[in-house]
Amino acid sequence: MKNYGNIVGWGKFIPEKSLTNEDFEAYLDTSDEWIYARTGIRVRHVVNQEEQTSQMAADAAKEALRMAGLRGHDLDLIILATSSPDYLTPPISSQVQHALGAKKTAAFTLVTGCTGFIYALATAQQFISTGAYKRILVIGAELISRWLDYNDRSTCILFGDGAGAVILEATEKQSGVMSFVLGSDGSKAEHLILPGGGSKHPPSHEMLENNLHYLKMNGNEVFRFATRILGSSLREAIREAGLEPEDIDLFIPHQANQRIIDSAARQAGLPPEKVFINIENYGNTSAASIPIALCEALESGRAKIGDTLAFVAFGAGLTWAAAVVKIIEREEQPRKSIWKLPILRWFS
Ligand code: ACO
């Protein structure tokens, strides 16, 4: 009997502070008109000084756990997709495991840029289908704003911070990740790179003087790559799931650029009314963008239990990923717990 990982809980964290296109207009040679027309973005949220990636990830995960009626120690594994951890070491996944009270739960961090959430979902599905684990928390969390040069108009207007999380629970009913397509092309690595702070350019005065601690992007190359790869990988994932484009109820793409999303949907034969887009309000939140969009789609009723969803993303590496995911009704509700009482939940 095969095991599937049905999504039984979801949650997100969005920082309160926001930056509008007008905020950039006030000091940069740019305009709301240019940004919106070229990207589809009007607002992005960014952390304040006290907020960290681990805290955003833990807050999103706590919401997902509450929704699933679970506590940290019910989890068998935590996979955290991020390129912007609190530290190079220790792994942020262990920080979040501790914050969730998930004592001794296995945890690891997965780094594939904006495709991280789909890579993590596909990985989680493998642990569930072998029967190794029953409940896995998958998080996408990013705090890109600390690595942006706010005088570089070609990158700073694009990104926002945030986190989203889902819980996969083993079931014998067909659900969860029905198919996935993953890929990478390291020959294009320099098109999206944060050169400083690693082993090649460790922290030094020289590194800072040369601005190597900021994200560098060749926007045109990344754009070309994305529009070439997304439509075909999405079509392949749909085919691998044994489905046709019309079987997809909602397409939830990585929110990087409205024009890239439109092109991917068109190439995969998905009509605009089946595409979920929230880039206008968040910008590109990298590995967090799909789980945040999934939460919003489910909260707003655009996606429902029983739906078949398609995800697609591209990112640093350069990498790409697509998946078809089905969410079904949960078979068995978790035990009634006194921790569900609002007053006690605060302590949980
Ligand atoms: N405001 C005004 N003008 C700008 C701005 C801005 N914010 N940014 C760039 N320009 C200028 C450029 O300097 C250029 O001027 P020039 O012609 O005088 O040299 C002109 O606009 C056109 O620049 P292009 O780069 O050709 O503009 P394009 O239409 O390609 O849009 C953009 C740029 C939005 C960055 C686009 O290339 C893009 O979205 N690329 C993909 C980026 C992306 O999604 N990256 C995330 C990857 S995922 C991850 O893992 C993090």
Side-chain angles (χ1 to χ4, degrees), residues 30 34 38 114 153 159 192 217 219-220 256-257 259 284 315-316:
T30 190
W34 191 98
R38 302 288 181 116
C114 299
R153 65 180 182 174
F159 295 94
L192 186 53
M217 186 180 69
N220 279 316
N257 182 306
R259 292 180 295 150
N284 179 349

Side-chain angles (χ1 to χ4, degrees), residues 184-207:
S184 124
D185 180 358
S187 71
K188 294 184 168 54
E190 78 280 6
H191 296 319
L192 186 53
I193 187 164
L194 205 167
S199 64
K200 180 149 184 184
H201 301 290
S204 67
H205 290 299
E206 196 191 351
M207 183 204 88

Side-chain angles (χ1 to χ4, degrees), residues 28-31 34-35 38-39 83 112-115 144 153-155 157-159 192 215 217-224 226 254 256-257 259-260 284 286 314-317 319:
L28 266 181
D29 180 14
T30 190
S31 65
W34 191 98
I35 299 172
R38 302 288 181 116
T39 69
S83 299
T112 61
C114 299
T115 55
I144 306 285
R153 65 180 182 174
S154 64
T155 54
I157 53 124
L158 295 174
F159 295 94
L192 186 53
L215 187 73
M217 186 180 69
N218 182 341
N220 279 316
E221 283 295 334
V222 176
F223 191 95
R224 249 197 300 277
H254 170 44
N257 182 306
R259 292 180 295 150
I260 294 175
N284 179 349
S286 187
F314 64 98
T319 56

Side-chain angles (χ1 to χ4, degrees), residues 280-307:
E280 184 171 341
N281 304 319
Y282 301 110
N284 179 349
T285 56
S286 187
S289 91
I290 291 180
I292 289 173
L294 173 64
C295 285
E296 282 209 333
L298 287 158
E299 284 160 9
S300 67
R302 282 288 303 279
K304 302 174 295 304
I305 305 295
D307 277 357

Side-chain angles (χ1 to χ4, degrees), residues 30-46:
T30 190
S31 65
D32 172 51
E33 202 184 7
W34 191 98
I35 299 172
Y36 188 67
R38 302 288 181 116
T39 69
I41 303 168
R42 287 212 196 270
V43 181
R44 64 294 281 150
H45 294 254
V46 293

Side-chain angles (χ1 to χ4, degrees), residues 234-245:
L234 190 53
R235 276 201 312 272
E236 194 182 333
I238 294 171
R239 205 170 43 243
E240 287 266 320
L243 301 174
E244 298 293 331

